[in-house]
Amino acid sequence: NNKNDQPNVQNHAHDPASTTAKPQHPNQNILLLASDCVYFEELNAPLERTIASILSAAPTGSMCLIASVRRWKRDNAFFSRIGKSTRTKTHSLQCVCVQETVTRNSSIDKDGGDHDDLVEKREIMRIYAIQWLRRTL
């Protein structure tokens, strides 16, 4: 085992999770930035494996920030489950919502009839911080 107890990731040439990012300077933290990347559920597991592979080999303090607009309840599933399939005996991915912004937009829905309807739309934008941390036993 290495110092970060890396998760077991299958080694496939076409699998982006099989490569590990190496910083130019060995002690330099890595910051992964992503946005709107959890829409398709079938891609959640490969995304989690990729994040775990990169962060488990990175210096302590490295993290992934993901900005996401909540469109459906299932969009939250990735963030609530992250770390469960990639955890090791000593480490796991830990995910925390660090910012939430709720905006409300009102508009008039012109239906062509005698009356117009006022429609209010609510949008929730969240930013999550994900780190590879030692598990508390």
Side-chain angles (χ1 to χ4, degrees):
N1 289 353
N2 70 18
K3 70 172 186 146
N4 287 329
D5 195 19
Q6 292 184 346
N8 183 14
V9 178
Q10 293 179 353
N11 189 10
H12 297 289
H14 65 280
D15 184 1
S18 66
T19 60
T20 303
K22 301 285 185 202
Q24 287 181 332
H25 305 288
N27 295 325
Q28 183 178 4
N29 287 341
I30 292 175
L31 176 61
L32 301 174
L33 299 175
S35 177
D36 293 323
C37 58
V38 298
Y39 187 76
F40 296 107
E41 285 184 85
E42 62 272 15
L43 299 176
N44 287 352
L47 176 61
E48 180 178 342
R49 286 192 308 268
T50 300
I51 293 169
S53 176
I54 293 169
L55 293 180
S56 66
T60 301
S62 296
M63 73 173 56
C64 175
L65 293 177
I66 299 179
S68 181
V69 174
R70 181 176 180 242
R71 293 177 184 85
W72 312 98
K73 287 183 180 182
R74 70 173 183 222
D75 292 349
N76 288 341
F78 172 79
F79 299 106
S80 63
R81 287 192 314 252
I82 193 163
K84 290 184 172 70
S85 67
T86 54
R87 71 177 156 223
T88 65
K89 290 179 183 178
T90 60
H91 288 76
S92 68
L93 288 174
Q94 309 238 339
C95 180
V96 176
C97 180
V98 294
Q99 182 177 346
E100 180 178 271
T101 305
V102 179
T103 57
R104 298 183 193 299
N105 298 317
S106 297
S107 62
I108 297 175
D109 182 22
K110 298 195 178 282
D111 61 6
D114 294 336
H115 59 280
D116 297 327
D117 295 323
L118 182 64
V119 177
E120 183 174 299
K121 293 182 181 179
R122 184 176 77 149
E123 183 176 84
I124 301 172
M125 166 67 84
R126 292 184 177 136
I127 299 176
Y128 295 90
I130 302 168
Q131 290 186 289
W132 183 252
L133 299 173
R134 182 170 290 283
R135 291 177 63 192
T136 55
L137 304 175

